[in-house]
Amino acid sequence: MGDTELELSPAQLEELQQSPSASSNSSTSSLSLPSSPSSGTRPLTSSSPSTSEGLPTSSPPLDVISEGVGELSLVIDTEVAKKACQEVLQKVKFLKADGEVSSASSEPVLVNGTAHPESTDGGKPPKISQEEAEPVKNVRRRQKNNSSKQSWLLRLFESKLFDISMAISYLYNSKEPGVQAYIGNRLFSFRNEEVDFYLPQLLNMYIHMDEDVGDAIKPYVVYRCRQSINFSLQCAWLLGAYSSDMHISTQRHSRGTKLRKLILSDELKPSSQRIRREVPQPPPSCPPPLHHGQGMSEHSLSPSKRTHQRSKSDATVSISLSSNLKRTASNPKVETSQDEDLSSSSDSLTLEAGTPVRLTPQREFIKSLMGIGKRLATLPTKEQKTQRLISELSLLNHKLPARVWLPTAAFDHHVVRVPHTQAVVLNSKDKAPYLIYVEVLECENFETSSVPVRIPETRIRSTRSVENLPDCGITPDQRASSFSTVPNYDNDDEAWSVDDIGELQVELPEIHTNSYDNISQFSVDSITSQESKEPIFIAAGDIRRRLSEQLAHTPTTFKRDPEDPSAVALKEPWQEKVRRIREGSPYGHLPNWRLLSVIVKCGDDLRQELLAYQVLKQLQIIWEQERVPLWIKPYKILVISSDSGMIEPVVNAVSIHQVKKQSQLLLLDYFRQEHGDYNTEEFLTAQRNFVQSCAGYCLICYLLQVKDRHNGNILLDSEGHIIHIDFGFILSSSPRNLGFETSAFKLTSEFVDVMGGLDGDMFNYYKMLMLQGLIAARKHMEKVIQIVEIMQQGSQLPCFHGSSTIRNLKERFHMNLTEEQLQVLVEQMVDGSMRSITTKLYDGFQYLTNGIM
Amino acid sequence: MAQTEKKAGLLRRTSSSKKPLKEKVVLMYDEIFAKEDPTKNNPRFWDELFLMKVNLEYLEGKLESLDGDEVMKIKDNINSLFHHCVQALGEEHQIKVVNALQTLCALFRGVHQKNKSATGFDIINMLMGFDKAELRMKELMESLDSLLCGDGSESLKSLCLKLLLYMVIIQNTILEYVMINSIFEAILQILSDVSSRAQHGYDAVVLLALLVNYRKYESVNPYIVKLSIVDDEPTLDGMGMVIHHALTEYNRQYKDKEEENQGGFFSTLTSMVGSMFIADADEKLSVQTNEAILLALYEAVHLNRNFITVLAQSHPEIDMATTPATPVPASPTTPLSTTPPSLDMMNNPELPLDPNLQTSNLLITFLKYSSIVMQDTKDEHRLNSARLCLIILTCIAEDQYADAFLHDDNMNFRVNLHRMPMRHRKKAADKNIPSRPLVCAVLDLMVEFIITHMMKEFPMDLYVRCIQIIHKLICYQKKCRVRMHYTWRELWSALINLLKFLLSNETILLAKHNIFQLALQVVNLFNMFITYGDTFLPTPSSYDELYYEIIRMHQVFDNLYCMVLRVSTNAGQWKEPASKVTHALVNVRAIINHFNPKIESYAAVNHISQLSEDQVLEVVRSNYDTLTLKLQDGLDQFERYSEQPREAGFFKELVRSISLNVRKNVSLSTMSQDVLLKEFSSIS
């Protein structure tokens, strides 16, 4: 099959990719091809066995869904889609009858049979390749034919090259319900992670585009919601956030709001549970009525078999889930006493109708975090905020561990503890974003694995308390006779008090075995035989020297500043912090212990951040693909509503503002302080990192028109990379529209100095990287544009202000320029940015208004 | 609620109604106190009795008026009354339960008043009869337990706790039965539940503290054992909150009073060091009543290691003044019977949104409380409270987890300690206190204590504890290499001043105290700084400052050396302790002897008569290398706190005084019958 695809010339493919809407007009007939007319004549069960074998695991259980949701009067439009496809089918039949006399009926089957598995990670053995030779030829022969064009589209859809990005693009651009329905089905065949990346796009289309698109998307969303709590919540949050720009009256009745309600009502539990109770044996095994007569869509049929297997395991999952609910329910709600009742009652309830308990813990957890943010915002000073934050988090700690997790993490886990004293309030004028560290235990699956048992804070100490007392004499007999005097165990000093201080030495970091502490250790040892020992003499100068040496040896830390509490916390190397927190944690000894961090933002709209993340991620993938060594760090964004969310912090990075304020050095000198002098390997590595990241972000800033680039929004990590954060002003929006920052991107002379000056090799390397990056990005422009374009639908975000956002974005890719011209352009931009007084002006402005250096 | 008023009201009402005709219940009481079996004429006598409104005064008065012989004669009837009371506790009808509870209270009170001198067994015999005692008490305790744990009315629970408090303060062998039939779980349940904690938390905590202290040195006390292993956080937290509230309330009252005084007459007399509170009787009394809470805090910290986390559990300081409606108790002598008013603030699970609220935690509140209590140690109760505060701090300083959060650089707080107004210093502007780790507040408190208690009635014992606490904290810092940015200089000069005071009052003090022990501790603290300063001092220059301070005050050390040398060369009881101080002084003397000539020669060379601090520091810095110090052993070792045997006497006395106080203040008539009736008519 791989061969056949190669026969599609790249040019043709590109044509197809770039003009999906153009081709979609006539794509009706081609679409119907997979569901071949011949299958109608054949018994369903005999549809090639290979099809079902090679099917993807994520295949669509359309029938199951419609069955499950049918009662909820949420008709999923498989039927509509089918009808549409059927009509199309008829047309094709006619066409075929007209055009080709022979093989017309068998072709599509083959195409279908072979192509489908291809779309699924190539799980299909290649033996069918001979069979397809013929259809391919046919296809080629018919190139000029009208119908052949559609089959090209089909071929594209069926081909390996058809990826999720294209699917989204066609879904968005095609006006044809058949195509949309087809792609809706095809979504099932992509890997979850692939689709997840485009979830904002999918949901935004669902909310803001016409019925047909929504109908095409819904089955997939519902299916995934059933499978995953995390997906359910993400969907609900995104739906809420992207619906928020609608007028309030329409919003209430919009599809997005309805779907959101459905998800939050937690009706979308793994459907298996119901099936399992009602029908002991798999219901979908008998072909559902939908399919009879016309094997309309094998896409929907064959997957159903898989679904069934899945649902069985889901059933067991839900059983174990319900047994775990006890812990689950007693989650961050601050009331404790009622929780027990709730959980015990939910135990019995889960077997009956649905209880919203599946999503509850996580929602409550998020709600608590947001509530803290809201309350912090009311406090006037950073210091009060920090104290309040710590105290609120310590309360939150009481409800942990629970079946809650950080959605920004890349692995499944349960949150067990929030080391509350480590949390810091971040710099922000009126909002109160804060950074928390979260201890988690990695687990196989956060929905099914059992929630870890709580370990009290004090358990880090070795416990030797009354539990271990020989016998406290509380047996009934002794109680009765307790008039008699029993020797008091309070004499047993050992039993009561643990020599905590004495044990400290064991827990101390390694410095303690360092040579210069030997004297103090020695002194401890010497106590036992002090009489016989010769007196030990030490020089006062040594003590003084050790003191200054030790202070000098500690890694450069920032000074605590009550007005900027986050600086110290962020400067501490991540590994160091992990080690320190692990030592202090009662859960630290567990092998699956991990530390995560997250920034909680309350009162901020993160939808633009999410958009920026998607673009950055896409560009990162593109550059990686094209082997351009640009370095950028897209950080994950979780949109919870239109004014709240979470951000994955960049570890080991502090803002350039903090660097300059704390160190009082020029950037280059700071580099030398941190990484060593010029020509040391460390410095050169850091410098290269700086250049690669700087080039990457310059391009990003240019393409996305990222504004508000003051030094507080640019981070410097411990390896020398710069990282831009805060994409609050991108595309068509800029801060206060003051017209500052007219340059393409921010490039100060300090940056250039770090790169080795204007004439240095590294600076040329920087410009070359920019050029390469721009060329690579241009090559895949569509993938980038698409992300932005779809999100523009129905959006009131400032970044889409005006009508020319997308056009301007496209222009910045300069499709019409030759590479030489591009090179000139890059030179111009670099020159312009460097000379730009506005950058300097803007920094000055920020310094005056916000105290950012 | 002001119960004194209530009580008066109640009395008036009953007395006025008594004259024309006797209440039925009184007639029935009379029947009981007659020698015959009351059921003889009326088989339903007991049923009817508990339907009657109890007349406590009459019943108690009757019991008190009996003499020994009469008691023995009507013993059967009283036994029977007790028996039926216990039985009535199991009744469905809440009125009966309430009446039975009140009758029981009256019985315990009356019998106890009557029989103060008599041994416990008499009381037991009189109430229950020896043969039945065990069974009766078991039944009683079980009933109380189920009443406390059940979801019955809150007034009922309150009555149960009162009854238990009576039984506890009798300090009688009846308590043995309370030991056997533990109601510990019921107390915990009250503390863990938000609403019941708000209403009964105070009584429950006091009850628990007293129960834990019952014969704690002589027998196995199950409450000690159980308290030590509680690890349920909501419960411990609840206990912490009750304590926190009581202490906060005290702090607030103090502050109000202080402000009041400052505005008025006393403002002109602020220079009258600290004497302003002595005249204030109420003030002292309120300290007294808080001893029970302080004892509870001590037991929790001392016995239960999980409680340490509660200390750091921060929550916003709840400003009592803002809570509406609930009036502050008229006199602070009665907090036992009325739970602190705004305790119901704790009901609110969401933290209040007032931006003016400072975040606080139990430890901070406790430190503030301590700073108030320690200001004046002249009277017995305050002295005891101050001592207990220091003991609690000792326990805290020894605990590794507590030390960890005391020194946590991320947990910064402003702690407004109360400072005694003194002639030579202005009252520090509270607002300027920086936000620092909590250990700084502890050290501040210790420094404050040191400099304010150098007086004729020298509280030696408190000083020793105080220095021990500092020592323990420094040991932790040394071991864990924590470098606090604390102004150590204040501590050093306070310590040197203490030595100076000891020297100048040698003869007076030596008559009562072993001042050498204290001097040794102080000198050894300096030795810690001198030999291990590299491990915990914040900057190299702070080490220089230490030397500067020692050199500056060398006269004190010289004099101390002369004194201890003199005493140790003479034979006598102080010979040995004095010689220990001589040895401990070796490094300090080495420093003085090393640097003083250097400084003099520097002054001579540069022709300066008076060296500036910087110049001295310069000399110090450049002459370290020629100075050799002797490493002393065991500087970072300390004796761990143990209650037994050293503190046993103190706690026995303390419990006795608390019991007395509770006995004085527990009043039955808090709950008017009307309230009860109203409540129960709606229930039943």
Side-chain angles (χ1 to χ4, degrees), chain A residues 334-337 374-376 378-380 383-384 386-388 390-392 394-395 397-398 417 420-424 454-467 469 472-474 476 479-491 493 496-505 507-508 511-512 516-517 519-520 522-524 526-527 530 535-548 550-551 560 580, chain B residues 121 134 173 176-177 179-180 182 193-194 215-222 224-226 228-229 231 233-234 237 302-303 305-306 308-309 313-316 349-359 397-401 403 408-414 435 476 478-481 483 530-535 537-544 547 621 624-625 627-634 636-638 640-644:
Chain A
V334 190
E335 306 90 338
T336 37
S337 44
K374 280 203 193 95
R375 289 193 284 276
L376 289 186
T378 62
L379 297 172
E383 185 188 303
Q384 277 171 300
T386 308
Q387 286 180 0
R388 173 62 70 84
I390 289 173
S391 75
E392 295 251 14
S394 72
L395 288 183
N397 246 339
H398 278 209
R417 182 173 176 263
H420 50 275
T421 60
Q422 304 303 316
V424 283
R454 179 171 176 80
I455 308 174
E457 288 283 318
T458 43
R459 203 48 67 81
I460 28 172
R461 310 177 294 171
S462 72
T463 27
R464 237 188 308 163
S465 64
V466 188
E467 295 140 286
L469 285 178
C472 298
I474 347 173
R479 277 171 160 197
S481 62
S482 62
F483 277 86
S484 61
T485 314
V486 178
N488 187 8
Y489 41 74
D490 204 18
N491 294 330
D493 216 19
W496 282 103
S497 46
V498 178
D499 191 4
D500 289 328
I501 300 286
E503 280 164 12
L504 282 175
Q505 277 167 337
E507 294 178 23
L508 285 179
I511 331 160
H512 281 252
Y516 39 67
D517 198 39
I519 296 170
S520 357
F522 188 39
S523 71
V524 177
S526 65
I527 293 159
Q530 64 185 130
I536 303 155
F537 292 101
I538 41 174
D542 289 344
I543 300 173
R544 173 68 161 66
R545 213 168 292 123
R546 281 202 300 266
L547 177 56
S548 38
Q550 280 176 19
L551 286 169
R560 192 160 290 280
R580 194 167 52 81
Chain B
F121 286 97
E134 205 161 305
T173 30
E176 292 295 346
Y177 297 109
M179 293 293 136
I180 302 165
S182 167
D193 180 76
V194 179
R215 280 162 63 89
K216 70 172 9 171
Y217 308 110
E218 297 100 51
S219 70
V220 175
N221 180 330
I224 292 182
V225 181
K226 285 178 175 171
S228 72
I229 57 176
D231 60 356
E233 272 165 14
D237 252 14
H302 177 235
L303 291 177
R305 52 183 43 240
N306 297 313
I308 290 289
T309 52
Q313 202 81 81
S314 40
H315 31 82
E350 291 286 318
L351 299 172
L353 253 178
D354 189 349
N356 298 320
L357 291 187
Q358 269 237 313
T359 311
E398 275 179 14
D399 187 280
Q400 184 204 333
Y401 184 86
D403 279 329
D408 193 326
D409 217 15
N410 290 308
M411 285 176 74
N412 291 301
F413 293 95
R414 286 177 209 276
S435 196
Y476 174 84
K478 174 193 169 278
K479 292 257 160 87
C480 290
R481 313 228 153 198
R483 299 180 189 278
I530 293 168
T531 39
Y532 298 121
D534 56 324
T535 57
L537 282 175
T539 57
S541 62
S542 52
Y543 193 68
D544 305 338
Y547 278 54
R621 246 176 252 129
Y624 274 125
D625 280 330
L627 172 66
T628 308
L629 300 170
K630 183 167 176 272
L631 188 71
Q632 277 143 325
D633 290 315
D636 53 351
Q637 307 289 309
F638 57 79
R640 291 192 63 86
Y641 169 80
S642 78
E643 186 180 314
Q644 170 88 317

Side-chain angles (χ1 to χ4, degrees), chain A residues 300-488:
Chain A
S300 59
L301 167 67
S302 23
S304 70
K305 288 179 181 162
R306 306 268 331 173
T307 317
H308 174 57
Q309 290 171 0
R310 169 163 296 233
S311 54
K312 260 203 253 171
S313 64
D314 274 355
T316 51
V317 161
S318 58
I319 295 302
S320 63
L321 250 180
S322 67
S323 64
N324 282 326
L325 277 174
K326 251 208 141 69
R327 185 70 220 179
T328 313
S330 61
N331 152 52
K333 296 178 76 183
V334 190
E335 306 90 338
T336 37
S337 44
Q338 293 96 330
D339 286 346
E340 280 304 301
D341 302 337
L342 179 75
S343 56
S344 54
S345 62
S346 63
D347 264 345
S348 52
L349 276 173
T350 32
L351 284 178
E352 307 302 318
T355 48
V357 89
R358 195 173 74 116
L359 306 178
T360 310
Q362 180 73 359
R363 289 181 73 193
E364 289 292 331
F365 179 60
I366 301 288
K367 216 199 273 171
S368 310
L369 291 179
M370 291 306 153
I372 292 173
K374 280 203 193 95
R375 289 193 284 276
L376 289 186
T378 62
L379 297 172
T381 68
K382 284 238 169 60
E383 185 188 303
Q384 277 171 300
K385 285 180 187 179
T386 308
Q387 286 180 0
R388 173 62 70 84
L389 175 64
I390 289 173
S391 75
E392 295 251 14
L393 288 175
S394 72
L395 288 183
L396 185 67
N397 246 339
H398 278 209
K399 311 297 176 274
L400 297 173
R403 194 176 297 283
V404 297
W405 62 94
L406 286 190
T408 47
F411 54 90
D412 278 16
H413 61 266
H414 293 127
V415 173
V416 291
R417 182 173 176 263
V418 179
H420 50 275
T421 60
Q422 304 303 316
V424 283
V425 176
L426 299 175
N427 300 330
S428 166
K429 252 180 153 181
D430 32 35
K431 313 280 171 40
Y434 59 91
L435 172 76
I436 54 170
Y437 296 91
V438 177
E439 295 175 29
V440 304
L441 294 184
E442 194 170 349
C443 64
E444 225 146 74
N445 182 326
F446 55 71
E447 292 186 38
T448 53
S449 306
S450 58
V451 174
V453 183
R454 179 171 176 80
I455 308 174
E457 288 283 318
T458 43
R459 203 48 67 81
I460 28 172
R461 310 177 294 171
S462 72
T463 27
R464 237 188 308 163
S465 64
V466 188
E467 295 140 286
N468 309 333
L469 285 178
D471 183 10
C472 298
I474 347 173
T475 56
D477 301 344
Q478 272 171 305
R479 277 171 160 197
S481 62
S482 62
F483 277 86
S484 61
T485 314
V486 178
N488 187 8

Side-chain angles (χ1 to χ4, degrees), chain B residues 586-604:
Chain B
V586 61
N587 281 335
V588 174
R589 281 173 46 73
I591 289 169
I592 294 167
N593 293 338
H594 177 76
F595 286 106
N596 262 344
K598 302 268 189 318
I599 290 166
E600 273 157 29
S601 70
Y602 180 90

